[in-house]
Amino acid sequence: MKITVVGAGAVGATTADNLVRRNIAEEIILLDIKEGFAEGKAQDMMQTSALLGFDSKIKGVTNDYLSTAGSEVAVITSGIPRKPGMTREELIGTNANIVKTVVDNLIKHSPDIIILIVSNPMDTMTYLALKSSGLPKNRIIGMGGALDSARFKYQLSDKLNASANDLNAIVIGGHGDTTMIPLIKHATWNSVSVTDFLDEDEQADIVKKTMVGGATLTALIGTSAWYAPGAAAAAMVESIVKDQNRLFTASVYLEGEYGQEDINIGVPVIINKKGWDKIVPMNLSAEEEDLFKASADAVRKMNQVLFDEGVLKK
């Protein structure tokens, strides 16, 4: 079992660190374009093996895709991160060409690979990866919804003074500050609706804080977050590798599901050795359906930039 992580920056390195600690692969390849960067990160992580008790090997390489040959799963974190005041969408011009090049190189050496996209704007980058690669739709997955749902659970646990592990809550829609939809009316605390414990103002506050969770951290840290994104990516990879059939929100290609077509956007799906296996339907209220449609319209508008700039052809 070989797993590749492309991009040895904060998110990529944290993803690799989470994966190596889980001991789920014989080898993890950490690849970066900066000379020596991935190699140094990999050595630093390997020096924790005696302290943390893992046997997986992690190898850092500089732009050497031949070393990724035979990878079953790859996580793409490449591209520039957000800075304070930037939206995820502003990254499209730079990151589109990077992601397309990375996908092409990965498939060249691992034609049966499953690809998890973390790079922003995540839904559009996932759509790009699917359309440019020709891979089956189930083998291209966008990570954002898993991260957004984890942030949603954090906000709920903080307000309820509850364990996040006792909460079931998901976010659907686009992975953006204005496009994600925290489904608070569906959230439960050990099967009891969280709305039994929270008034309307508290619910609205949790939804708002969830939606700007990434921007809040970017303002505080000065760049994009990495601990939670790395953990979310690793959890999804583990579900693929171990065939766990875990339910995550993920950006996947819709062909009529949830009333949308020809778009990658966050919906609940089962993740297993096939990549994403099936889309799980939800009974959304009329208001939630309207929000999802608006979110899809915004994502589709961003996707159009790929065609306008010639990255994709119709």
Side-chain angles (χ1 to χ4, degrees):
M1 169 65 66
K2 181 189 287 186
I3 299 168
T4 290
V5 178
V6 182
V11 176
T14 304
T15 300
D17 186 47
N18 272 272
L19 288 171
V20 79
R21 289 169 186 247
R22 290 169 188 254
N23 239 357
I24 60 173
E26 292 178 68
E27 185 176 36
I28 296 167
I29 302 297
L30 182 61
L31 184 149
D32 202 273
I33 61 171
K34 183 178 178 181
E35 186 72 36
F37 192 55
E39 289 88 338
K41 292 282 186 85
Q43 282 190 41
D44 193 14
M45 289 179 220
M46 281 305 301
Q47 288 166 15
T48 70
S49 62
L51 301 168
L52 299 174
F54 61 80
D55 297 308
S56 295
K57 306 297 182 185
I58 181 162
K59 177 183 178 183
V61 298
T62 301
N63 223 25
D64 175 18
Y65 283 90
L66 185 59
S67 292
T68 73
S71 294
E72 295 193 36
V73 186
V75 181
I76 300 178
T77 71
S78 308
I80 60 170
R82 280 205 289 175
K83 299 296 183 184
M86 289 180 70
T87 64
R88 294 178 177 90
E89 290 74 18
E90 290 178 90
L91 305 176
I92 186 171
T94 300
N95 289 353
N97 288 317
I98 294 172
V99 168
K100 187 174 185 296
T101 300
V102 170
V103 168
D104 289 345
N105 282 317
L106 287 170
I107 294 172
K108 179 180 178 181
H109 298 287
S110 304
D112 297 323
I113 201 166
I114 294 169
I115 297 176
L116 182 66
I117 303 291
V118 179
S119 307
N120 278 315
M122 190 274 309
D123 298 289
T124 296
M125 293 300 101
T126 307
Y127 182 80
L128 169 63
L130 177 67
K131 291 295 184 178
S132 66
S133 70
L135 289 180
K137 63 182 180 178
N138 64 295
R139 284 165 49 195
I140 300 287
I141 308 167
M143 182 277 294
L147 170 61
D148 297 333
S149 297
R151 287 174 170 164
F152 187 23
K153 290 179 183 179
Y154 162 72
Q155 294 295 341
L156 284 165
S157 68
D158 188 52
K159 181 70 75 174
L160 293 168
N161 192 27
S163 168
N165 295 310
D166 283 345
L167 297 169
N168 283 299
I170 65 169
V171 176
I172 63 171
H175 179 57
D177 300 344
T178 61
T179 55
M180 68 178 76
I181 307 161
L183 294 176
I184 197 157
K185 303 299 184 185
H186 298 258
T188 61
W189 183 0
N190 273 349
S191 300
V192 181
S193 175
V194 299
T195 60
D196 289 353
F197 306 96
L198 303 167
D199 62 33
E200 291 293 334
D201 288 342
E202 289 172 321
Q203 294 174 43
D205 184 58
I206 289 167
V207 168
K208 179 181 178 181
K209 287 179 177 176
T210 300
M211 293 178 70
V212 298
T216 299
L217 291 173
T218 300
L220 291 169
I221 300 169
T223 187
S224 297
W226 58 89
Y227 293 119
M236 296 180 81
V237 171
E238 183 175 38
S239 192
I240 295 169
V241 171
K242 292 185 176 181
D243 198 26
Q244 289 179 327
N245 286 311
R246 291 189 64 188
L247 191 152
F248 290 95
T249 303
S251 185
V252 300
Y253 190 68
L254 302 187
E255 296 179 292
E257 300 91 346
Y258 285 80
Q260 298 296 326
E261 293 187 9
D262 191 31
I263 190 173
N264 281 80
I265 194 168
V267 293
V269 297
I270 303 300
I271 302 290
N272 59 27
K273 65 182 180 181
K274 298 178 182 178
W276 68 266
D277 192 4
K278 69 178 179 180
I279 294 169
V280 178
M282 292 188 69
N283 292 319
L284 301 180
S285 67
E287 179 184 6
E288 291 163 344
E289 287 181 350
D290 288 343
L291 288 171
F292 190 80
K293 182 181 182 302
S295 179
D297 289 344
V299 171
R300 195 171 277 109
K301 183 178 179 181
M302 184 54 53
N303 292 349
Q304 184 59 40
V305 177
L306 297 173
F307 298 101
D308 294 342
E309 296 190 359
V311 181
L312 285 179
K313 295 181 180 180
K314 297 220 178 201

